[in-house]
């Protein structure tokens, strides 16, 4: 038997109050606030510790033979033992919430954040499937529907249910308030609900769910949306589960609000960048054009242009401005617009075009540098005169050859006090394609530059014969081959631009 010294004391009232604040203790009414009762020595009776969530006082696990006489009644749980168990549950809940919120914090895109919310909520309320409807109250979007364990067809079926006939729809419209003291709305038995919308009942039977729990999502900025978890059998979360999902949802809503703002900024930047690039490529006799553009989440400074010039000529350009984000996008727009003006005035001399562009960049934006390549094409004669400033050489793709154009080495724009480099003349054969690209295509591979160039050459040489008549198909093949496994679509700090011109 253990002998606990007399001076030991426990402030039961303080512990009970702390637990009650977390919603995990209901023992406050069972004990008077006068501290530990006079029979404190009953604590000397041994009791099994709580292990892995098992409460020995309520489980069927037998006590060791040496701790209790077989003919004696079980010793009642002492206040200190109850408090210890309650505190253990409190710590377990805090640990669970900490782990789930840590996982949510690591999400950096809105889609990932919504899916993590659904996974964590399903674990907390004991559901297997669910969906979240995102509808920010300010009406600025993005409006989206994301599912967990539900396919596109399943989500489509759910959308056919009249909005006013669903809990989440009424939560979003403000016509239904969450239950008092809880965070959401429970429908424990949908098929037995006489007031359920017939279409809702039919969809529930078709998708195989019998109960639901809906939770509003919102923060100080207003409503964000609503999350719904679905049960395969009639069920509803208990009070402890509702409390935990309420705590988690409050934090998740704040994080999702930040991701919504980030998504809006990304969308705005991407929209501006797309508007600054050609919305469509011109049609010029003797040549077919195709372009592919992939930008990172912050937006970058890679650009391309195809400009009809007098007497049936065509100006082709690609370039890249240092940096990323809105400032780089704005600089890219200014540089492209300036190059168009210089190309109209003196496009026959690409060196003069890039010299004027370099002077403008050095005077107006001395802190920036840029690479650029400009080509003056006469499609009917199949002749090209091009000049590059620190840019990667074009690639000629044909049935008889796949080779890089030999261009002279030159510094990027803005790096020297006066830029000038000789131009290069080339004449593509009928059916050959000239591929212009930016360095982002090479950088995204993660390989050293020599290996990246070799990969690009191998990808161009492997274009199937059936695709060589379509410059768009050629660009797609090169993009997917150089950047396999979705790297061409993945978010990256490196922009990618391909401009393909096939000469007839």
């Amino acid at each position: 038997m253990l002998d606990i010294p007399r001076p030991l004391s426990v402030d039961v009232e303080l512990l009970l109050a702390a637990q009650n604040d977390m919603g995990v203790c209901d023992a406050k009414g069972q004990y008077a606030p006068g501290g530990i009762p006079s029979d404190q020595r009953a604590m000397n009776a041994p009791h099994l510790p709580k292990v892995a969530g098992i409460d020995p006082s309520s489980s069927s696990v037998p006590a060791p033979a040496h701790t209790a006489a077989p003919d004696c009644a079980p010793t009642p749980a002492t206040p200190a033992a109850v408090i210890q168990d309650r505190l253990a549950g409190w710590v377990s809940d805090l640990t669970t919430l900490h782990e789930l919120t840590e996982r949510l914090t690591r999400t950096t895109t809105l889609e990932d954040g919504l899916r993590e919310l659904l996974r964590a909520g399903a674990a907390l309320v004991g559901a297997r499937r669910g969906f979240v409807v995102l509808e920010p109250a300010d009406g600025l979007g993005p409006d989206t529907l994301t599912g967990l364990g539900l396919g596109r067809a399943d989500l489509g079926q759910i959308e056919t249910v009249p909005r006013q006939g669903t809990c989440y729809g009424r939560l979003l419209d403000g016509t239904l308030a969450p239950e008092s003291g809880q965070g959401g709305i429970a429908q424990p038995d949908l098929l037995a609900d006489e007031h359920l919308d017939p279409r809702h009942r039919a969809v529930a039977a078709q998708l195989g769910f019998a109960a639901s729990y809906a939770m509003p999502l919102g923060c100080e900025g207003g409503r964000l949306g609503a999350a719904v978890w679905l049960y395969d059998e009639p069920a509803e979360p208990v009070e402890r589960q509702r409390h935990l999902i309420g705590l988690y949802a409050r934090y998740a809503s704040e994080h999702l609000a930040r991701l919504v703002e980030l998504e809006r900024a990304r969308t705005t930047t991407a929209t501006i960048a797309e508007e600054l690039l050609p919305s469509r490529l011109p049609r010029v006799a003797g040549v077919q054009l195709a372009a592919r553009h992939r930008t990172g989440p912050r937006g970058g400074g890679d650009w391309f242009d195809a400009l009809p010039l007098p007497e049936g000529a065509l100006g082709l350009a690609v370039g890249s401005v240092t940096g990323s984000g809105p400032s780089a996008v704005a600089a890219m727009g200014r540089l492209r617009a300036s190059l168009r003006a210089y190309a109209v005035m003196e496009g026959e001399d690409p060196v003069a075009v890039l010299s004027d562009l370099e002077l403008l960049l050095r005077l107006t934006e001395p802190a920036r540098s840029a690479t650029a390549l400009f080509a003056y094409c006469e499609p009917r004669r199949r002749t090209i005169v091009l000049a590059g400033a620190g840019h990667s050489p074009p690639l000629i793709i044909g049935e008889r050859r796949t080779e890089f154009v030999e261009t002279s080495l030159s510094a990027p724009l803005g790096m020297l006090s006066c830029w000038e480099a000789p131009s290069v003349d080339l004449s593509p054969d009928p059916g050959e394609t000239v591929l212009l690209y930016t360095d982002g295509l090479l950088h995204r591979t993660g390989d050293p530059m020599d290996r990246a160039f070799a990969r690009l050459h191998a990808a161009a040489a492997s274009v199937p014969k059936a695709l060589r008549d379509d410059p768009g198909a050629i660009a797609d093949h090169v993009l997917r081959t150089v950047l396999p496994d979705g790297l061409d679509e993945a978010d990256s700090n490196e922009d990618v631009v391909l401009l393909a011109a096939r000469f007839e």
Side-chain angles (χ1 to χ4, degrees), residues 110-111 113-115 117-118 130-135 143-148 150 155 168 172 215 217 224-229 256:
L110 183 59
E111 182 70 17
L114 294 175
R115 294 193 181 280
L117 165 70
L118 288 173
F131 61 92
V132 58
V133 182
L134 193 68
E135 289 185 10
D143 295 347
T144 183
L145 177 64
T146 303
L148 172 68
L150 298 170
L155 295 175
Y168 74 86
L172 293 174
M215 168 73 66
L217 301 174
L224 287 176
V228 182
W229 290 275
L256 290 177

Side-chain angles (χ1 to χ4, degrees), residues 456-477:
L456 173 58
H457 185 276
S462 66
V463 175
K465 184 177 181 180
L467 302 180
R468 292 183 181 269
D469 293 337
D470 183 357
I474 293 175
D476 290 334
H477 176 84

Side-chain angles (χ1 to χ4, degrees), residues 292 294 435 441 444-445 455-456 458-460 462-464 467 470-490 496 498:
R292 299 294 183 266
R294 302 288 186 269
L435 183 66
L441 177 65
R444 278 204 187 193
T445 64
R455 177 183 291 191
L456 173 58
S462 66
V463 175
L467 302 180
D470 183 357
I474 293 175
D476 290 334
H477 176 84
V478 170
L479 194 59
R480 290 193 302 265
T481 306
V482 176
L483 300 175
D485 303 325
L487 287 177
D488 59 324
E489 299 289 348
V496 175
L498 283 84

Side-chain angles (χ1 to χ4, degrees), residues 85-99:
D85 290 341
R86 300 296 183 183
L87 286 176
W90 181 16
V91 172
S92 176
D93 291 343
L94 286 176
T95 302
T96 300
L97 287 175
H98 175 72
E99 292 176 353

